[in-house]
Amino acid sequence: MKLSELKNGETAVIVRLSGHGGFRKRIMEMGFIRGEKVKSVLDSPMHDPVKYHIMGYDVSLRRGEADMIEVLPEEEAKKELTPAPSFSCFSACEECNGCACRNCTQRKVSTKKNNVINVALVGNPNSGKTSIFNAVAGENEHVGNYSGVTIDAKTGSFNYKGYRINITDLPGTYSIAAYSPEEIYVRRHLFEQMPDIIINSVVASNIERNLYLTTELIDMNLRTVVALNMYDELLASGANIDYEHLGGMMGIPMVPVIAKTGKGLDKLLDIVIELFEGKNSTIRHIHINYGNTLEGELAPLSEEMHKASDLPYQFPVRYWALKLLEQDKEAIAQLQGCINLSRWEQMADRAAKRIQASLNIDVETAISDAKYGFINGALQETFTPGNKDTHKHTHRIDRLVANRWLGFPIFILVMWVMFYTVFLLGAYPQDWIDALFSLFGDWAKHIIPDGAIQDLVVDGIIGGVGSVAVFIPQILILYLFISLMEDSGYMARAAFIMDRLMHKMGLHGKSFIPMLMGFGCNVPAIMATRTIESRSSRIITILVTPFMSCSARLPVLVLFAGAFFPGYAPTVLISLYLLGIIVAVLTARLLRCTRFKKDETPFVMELPPYRIPTLRATLRHMWEKCEQYIRKIGTTILVATIIIWFLSYFPRPAENNHGAPANTEQIASGGGYESSFIGMIGRTIEPIMAPLGQNWRSSVAIITSIPAKELVVSTFGVLYSSDTEEGIEEDLVKSGDFTPRSAAAFLVFILLFFPCIATIATIATETGSRMWALFSVVYNTAVAWVAGYLVYLIGGLF
C-alpha cells in the first residue's frame, strides 16, 4: 500500500521508495528509509499535505509524494524486510590507528601553534545550533523555530581560557550532500576554510535522525565534538543515553548541553580546546562499513585514487571515492584538477551499476541504509527510549490549529489580531514620540536664528526624521508577533496549512514562510528563500515577496489610513495587506504558467514541536530589528531627508511686491515648493500619475520612496513644513491635494510599487541575475500603476 493511503492514527513500516533520485535522497535524509516505522498523524485543512510522525519528530509530506513511498503493516513488513546492519558494520582505520595519514586525510593540523581556534557550527535545522552560537559568541542572531532561519553563515569571536575562538554558524542542513543551497554552502565552507574543530549540534531527544549528519562528518574525518542539545527534553521523556559510550564507539566526544540556559557549554568549549591541542582520548577515526557489496566496489576505487598526488587534501580518499560512486556533481567539480578524474568516473560508473544490479537499489539508497543501520546499532547499545510522549501537547495543539474547519479561521484571526494591535496599541507611544520631536522642533526654533539653517534643522532634520521615528512602536509590535510565531513553531504550521493553496499557485508551502517574513522586511525574507530546494519555486517566491507590505511601508499606510479613513483605519490596513497577497498569488500563477512550468523538487518540511518562546530571545529579536530601523533613520533616512529639504528649499521663491521673500504659508500652499527643484521633478512626473488622481507633491513622494519607503512620510513633512505626524495628517486633509479616492489610489500604488534599493540588490544577488532585479522594477511599477488606476476609477463610482 502507499503511504498516502494510511489513515490518521495508523502506523506502518516503509518497505520501498520510488521516484527520482533527488526525491529519494531528500526524504531519506529526513528519515524515510526502509524498515522505519511511520505514523499518519493529521491531514491539513485541505487534506494535503499530511503530517507524519517518524524517527521521533513530525514532518509534512504531500500526498502525491507520499504515493511514492510503499508501506506495509508491521507483521507483513517483518516477512519482507531483512534485518538492518548492526553496529559491527564499522572498523577503525587500522592503517593509521587514528593519526592523520593520507589514508584518512592529507590535512596536517598541528597542535597549539597559537591561541586562535576556528570553529564551524554544523547541525540540522531546529537543532538549537544558533542558540549555541548566541550563547557562546553573544551575537544577536535570531533563533527561529522553523527550518532555515539561519540563512547565511554568521561569525562571532570570543575569548575562553586564553584562546581566541572564532565560531561560524553555518546554515542548518540535514546532510552535507549537494542537493540544496545550504548543503553546498556548508560543504564548500568546510572544504575551503578548513576549520580546526566542528561542533555538531544534535537534538538529544531526536538523536537517531540527527546523527545522520554526524556520519557524514565521520566520513570526512573532521575533528568533531557533538553537542547533545536540548538534553532536558530527552530527560523529560524518560529516556536515557550513555553518551560517553556512544561517543567512544563513534570516535567523537559527546557533551550534553542546554543552550537556552547555557548549561554544559563550558564543558563543550573545554572539549574544543582538548581536540585542538590533541589531548582528547575519545577522538579517533573509524570507517563505516557499507556492506560487502558496496565495500567490495569501494576498495579498488579508493586504492586507485590513493595513488594520485593531485587529490584535494581537505577530505580523505575514501570520502572522494564514496562521492564518485554517488555521482555527486559538486564533488566531481571539486576534483576537476585531477588528471585521472575521467578514469575514476568510469570506474565509479561501472561499480555503481554492479551495486544496483546486486542490491536492486541505487548507491545513494544503499549508503543511506548503511548509515542508519550504523546509527541504529550504536543506539541499541547506548540508548534507552523514554516512556513519556513528549509530543502529546504538540499533537493536541495541531488538532486545533491545523483542523480542517478551524485551521484557516484561526490563521486569519491571528493575522487580524496582529495588524489590529499594531495600529491601535502602537498609537499610544507614537503620540509620546510625536510630542517629543515637536518639543525638539520648538526648542531649535528658539535657539537658532531665522533663516536657512533653522529651516534645515527644524523642517529638514527634526521634522523629517521625527515623522519616521514615531512609527518605531508599531514596528516593534509587528516584529513581536512575527518572533512569537517563529519561536513557538506556529510559523511552520502556517506553511503546513497554506501548502495546498501555495501548491495551486505553483509554489511550496515553504514559500509561505519568507512571504510572511516579508511583512517585517523584504531583504531577510528574500534571503530566507534559500531553504526552498526548487530553483523555480525559489525565484518565483523571490519575485512575489516584495508584494508583501514590509514594515517600511507601514508608516505610510498608517498615516494615510488615519488621515482619510479614521473610522476604518485597521480595516483599511488589513485590506491593503490582503491586496498585496492577492497580487502575489496572481503573479506567482502567471510565472508558473509561463516562464517556470516545472517544479523540480518535492515538498518535505519538518514540523518542530511547539515550544514556549523565551523572553530573552523574543526581546533580542525585537531589539535587533528596532536597532536596524534606528540605524536606518540615522543614516539613509537622515541623508535623504536633508537632500529632499535642499531640493525643496532651492531655488528660493521670488520676492513679493513689497520686496520680502514669500512667507512659509505661501511655500506650504505650493507657491514656493512648486517652483523649487523638487517641484520641477514633481511636475515632470505629474502627467504619468495624474490618471491616478495624483499631483506633483505625491509624485515627488513616490520618487523619494525609492531609497526607503519611510521617506514618503518625511517628504510630506518637508513639503508641508510639519514636524509631527498629527500635523502632517491635518495638512494632507486640508491641502486639498488628496481626496479619499486619490488617497486610496496612492496607498495601492505605494503598496505595490517596486521595493527599496536594498531589496532590488538582494533580488539580483539571490537569483544570480540582474535581469530578474530589472524585471521586478518594471513589473511591480506597472502592476502598481494599473492597480492604482483601477482603484481610482472604482472610487469614482461611489
Side-chain angles (χ1 to χ4, degrees):
M1 64 183 292
K2 305 295 184 184
L3 177 59
S4 58
E5 298 172 17
L6 209 62
K7 296 179 180 178
N8 289 168
E10 293 182 347
T11 301
V13 177
I14 298 171
V15 294
R16 189 169 289 105
L17 305 174
S18 57
H20 59 82
F23 169 77
R24 287 199 305 276
K25 183 168 182 61
R26 170 53 73 207
I27 61 175
M28 284 190 298
E29 291 169 358
M30 299 289 286
F32 288 86
I33 58 170
R34 294 193 311 152
E36 192 64 39
K37 291 182 182 179
V38 58
K39 180 180 180 180
S40 176
V41 178
L42 181 71
D43 291 355
S44 68
M46 299 183 73
H47 294 287
D48 195 15
V50 180
K51 173 182 171 183
Y52 295 101
H53 190 73
I54 187 168
M55 283 194 177
Y57 80 110
D58 296 324
V59 63
S60 62
L61 201 66
R62 286 184 184 150
R63 289 185 178 276
E65 287 139 9
D67 282 340
M68 291 185 275
I69 303 174
E70 190 174 331
V71 297
L72 285 175
E74 291 186 54
E75 291 302 318
E76 293 181 41
K78 287 179 182 178
K79 300 175 184 177
E80 180 160 328
L81 293 174
T82 56
S86 68
F87 186 73
S88 61
C89 293
F90 82 96
S91 62
C93 183
E94 302 296 342
E95 296 178 42
C96 65
N97 196 27
C99 76
C101 75
R102 178 170 174 75
N103 187 53
C104 287
T105 178
Q106 286 186 338
R107 182 175 60 165
K108 304 282 187 179
V109 183
S110 61
T111 56
K112 185 178 177 183
K113 285 184 179 179
N114 51 53
N115 64 342
V116 177
I117 307 175
N118 296 312
V119 176
L121 190 50
V122 177
N124 286 185
N126 304 303
S127 65
K129 178 175 54 63
T130 304
S131 295
I132 294 175
F133 177 82
N134 286 336
V136 298
E139 292 290 330
N140 293 323
E141 173 63 13
H142 176 47
V143 183
N145 194 23
Y146 65 90
S147 175
V149 69
T150 305
I151 54 178
D152 205 346
K154 304 292 180 182
T155 301
S157 298
F158 61 97
N159 296 318
Y160 183 78
K161 292 188 176 180
Y163 286 88
R164 183 66 175 173
I165 299 179
N166 301 321
I167 185 167
T168 302
D169 179 20
L170 294 173
T173 177
Y174 294 104
S175 77
I176 312 178
Y179 182 76
S180 70
E182 290 83 9
E183 292 170 351
I184 295 172
Y185 188 100
V186 171
R187 190 199 290 182
R188 286 180 180 173
H189 180 89
L190 299 180
F191 181 83
E192 295 169 3
Q193 302 301 320
M194 296 192 306
D196 300 311
I197 308 296
I198 307 293
I199 294 179
N200 178 203
S201 179
V202 166
V203 179
S205 58
N206 187 15
I207 193 166
E208 183 179 6
R209 199 253 303 167
N210 276 241
L211 284 178
Y212 184 88
L213 180 60
T214 311
T215 62
E216 295 189 309
L217 295 172
I218 290 173
D219 285 338
M220 290 177 164
N221 190 28
L222 300 172
R223 287 189 291 182
T224 303
V225 54
V226 167
L228 294 170
N229 201 7
M230 307 178 202
Y231 201 74
D232 53 332
E233 293 184 7
L234 177 136
L235 297 177
S237 71
N240 183 49
I241 185 168
D242 185 348
Y243 57 85
E244 291 183 350
H245 186 197
L246 176 63
M249 289 191 292
M250 301 184 82
I252 295 177
M254 299 189 175
V255 183
V257 302
I258 307 172
K260 65 182 179 182
T261 64
K263 187 174 181 180
L265 293 179
D266 284 345
K267 177 64 175 176
L268 179 67
L269 295 176
D270 289 342
I271 297 294
V272 167
I273 293 174
E274 287 180 11
L275 292 177
F276 183 72
E277 294 182 337
K279 295 179 179 178
N280 187 274
S281 58
T282 302
I283 193 75
R284 65 194 180 101
H285 183 51
I286 66 171
H287 285 169
I288 299 172
N289 191 315
Y290 291 106
N292 293 335
T293 302
L294 206 147
E295 288 288 344
E297 299 292 348
L298 181 62
L301 180 58
S302 296
E303 185 177 345
E304 185 65 28
M305 295 177 71
H306 196 278
K307 298 174 184 177
S309 60
D310 55 357
L311 201 65
Y313 59 84
Q314 287 89 339
F315 302 141
V317 175
R318 180 180 170 90
Y319 173 81
W320 294 119
L322 275 170
K323 292 298 143 185
L324 286 180
L325 283 176
E326 290 180 312
Q327 297 181 334
D328 187 305
K329 294 180 180 178
E330 178 73 12
I332 293 172
Q334 291 172 322
L335 295 176
Q336 285 300 317
C338 299
I339 298 173
N340 297 316
L341 177 59
S342 59
R343 184 154 60 89
W344 297 340
E345 285 187 274
Q346 291 173 6
M347 289 180 63
D349 185 56
R350 290 193 296 268
K353 289 177 180 177
R354 289 193 293 268
I355 291 170
Q356 183 152 1
S358 177
L359 301 179
N360 200 27
I361 53 176
D362 59 45
V363 174
E364 288 180 345
T365 304
I367 291 175
S368 294
D369 285 351
K371 285 183 184 294
Y372 276 115
F374 168 80
I375 294 166
N376 185 261
L379 293 179
Q380 283 179 6
E381 295 190 34
T382 58
F383 181 71
T384 304
N387 53 10
K388 298 177 183 177
D389 184 6
T390 57
H391 290 267
K392 185 184 296 183
H393 72 286
T394 290
H395 294 158
R396 285 176 177 171
I397 297 173
D398 274 348
R399 280 196 288 271
L400 177 66
V401 302
N403 182 273
R404 178 182 179 184
W405 303 109
L406 297 177
F408 281 111
I410 289 174
F411 173 71
I412 293 170
L413 177 63
V414 169
M415 294 294 101
W416 184 85
V417 168
M418 179 173 74
F419 293 121
Y420 197 80
T421 306
V422 164
F423 191 87
L424 291 186
L425 191 60
Y428 294 102
Q430 187 179 34
D431 290 340
W432 305 334
I433 297 173
D434 207 2
L436 181 64
F437 274 90
S438 181
L439 288 174
F440 279 151
D442 292 340
W443 174 72
K445 284 180 181 178
H446 282 93
I447 65 171
I448 302 174
D450 290 345
I453 300 298
Q454 186 195 83
D455 287 343
L456 169 63
V457 174
V458 176
D459 298 331
I461 297 175
I462 296 177
V465 171
S467 61
V468 177
V470 294
F471 295 99
I472 289 175
Q474 289 164 319
I475 288 169
L476 274 174
I477 295 170
L478 177 66
Y479 275 111
L480 170 65
F481 275 90
I482 292 176
S483 178
L484 290 174
M485 286 192 291
E486 290 173 352
D487 295 346
S488 66
Y490 182 73
M491 187 78 89
R493 270 62 185 190
F496 174 73
I497 292 167
M498 295 295 293
D499 177 66
R500 186 69 179 270
L501 291 178
M502 302 298 286
H503 193 42
K504 290 182 181 298
M505 292 166 54
L507 293 175
H508 282 235
K510 282 185 181 180
S511 299
F512 186 72
I513 292 173
M515 289 172 70
L516 196 58
M517 288 177 65
F519 290 138
C521 179
N522 288 163
V523 173
I526 289 171
M527 293 174 71
T529 60
R530 295 177 187 177
T531 62
I532 304 169
E533 292 88 355
S534 165
R535 174 168 171 76
S536 62
S537 290
R538 188 162 64 251
I539 291 179
I540 293 175
T541 307
I542 287 171
L543 295 177
V544 302
T545 295
F547 289 120
M548 304 296 104
S549 183
C550 65
S551 58
R553 289 186 175 97
L554 186 60
V556 187
L557 307 188
V558 171
L559 176 69
F560 272 73
F564 294 97
F565 311 99
Y568 306 94
T571 304
V572 170
L573 200 64
I574 294 167
S575 300
L576 288 166
Y577 277 86
L578 288 175
L579 175 62
I581 294 170
I582 291 169
V583 172
V585 169
L586 295 175
T587 299
R589 195 63 203 156
L590 177 66
L591 289 170
R592 181 60 76 187
C593 292
T594 54
R595 179 65 175 82
F596 302 103
K597 295 185 178 180
K598 184 181 178 183
D599 192 14
E600 308 93 343
T601 54
F603 170 72
V604 186
M605 188 179 72
E606 181 180 351
L607 296 175
Y610 288 102
R611 294 188 174 97
I612 299 175
T614 64
L615 179 63
R616 180 183 175 186
T618 301
L619 292 178
R620 181 171 56 228
H621 186 203
M622 290 174 60
W623 169 245
E624 177 188 355
K625 298 304 179 185
C626 181
E627 186 182 31
Q628 290 176 4
Y629 189 72
I630 292 171
R631 193 181 298 119
K632 190 176 182 182
I633 290 174
T635 54
T636 305
I637 292 173
L638 175 61
V639 173
T641 299
I642 293 173
I643 293 171
I644 293 167
W645 174 86
F646 179 86
L647 293 174
S648 65
Y649 195 82
F650 297 101
R652 300 298 294 141
E655 294 182 346
N656 59 26
N657 295 333
H658 304 285
N663 59 30
T664 304
E665 232 174 85
Q666 286 177 294
I667 295 173
S669 66
Y673 287 142
E674 193 170 359
S675 58
S676 67
F677 292 127
I678 206 167
M680 298 174 195
I681 295 171
R683 284 296 184 193
T684 303
I685 304 165
E686 186 177 15
I688 301 173
M689 301 303 300
L692 282 66
Q694 309 304 309
N695 64 5
W696 68 271
R697 292 182 195 266
S698 55
S699 300
V700 166
I702 288 167
I703 293 299
T704 58
S705 74
I706 293 174
K709 294 294 175 264
E710 303 98 326
L711 289 171
V712 169
V713 179
S714 55
T715 299
F716 282 121
V718 171
L719 292 177
Y720 291 121
S721 300
S722 180
D723 55 0
T724 66
E725 187 217 351
E726 186 178 342
I728 298 173
E729 281 190 14
E730 291 180 3
D731 288 336
L732 282 171
V733 175
K734 292 178 180 179
S735 66
D737 289 334
F738 293 96
T739 63
R741 179 185 172 193
S742 63
F746 182 81
L747 280 173
V748 169
F749 188 90
I750 286 295
L751 173 76
L752 304 176
F753 185 43
F754 76 83
C756 65
I757 292 174
T759 302
I760 295 299
T762 306
I763 291 173
T765 301
E766 295 301 312
T767 60
S769 172
R770 294 179 182 177
M771 291 304 298
W772 285 122
L774 179 61
F775 171 83
S776 182
V777 170
V778 175
Y779 177 79
N780 289 34
T781 303
V783 168
W785 194 94
V786 171
Y789 180 64
L790 290 175
V791 167
Y792 188 70
L793 285 181
I794 294 169
L797 300 177
F798 298 96

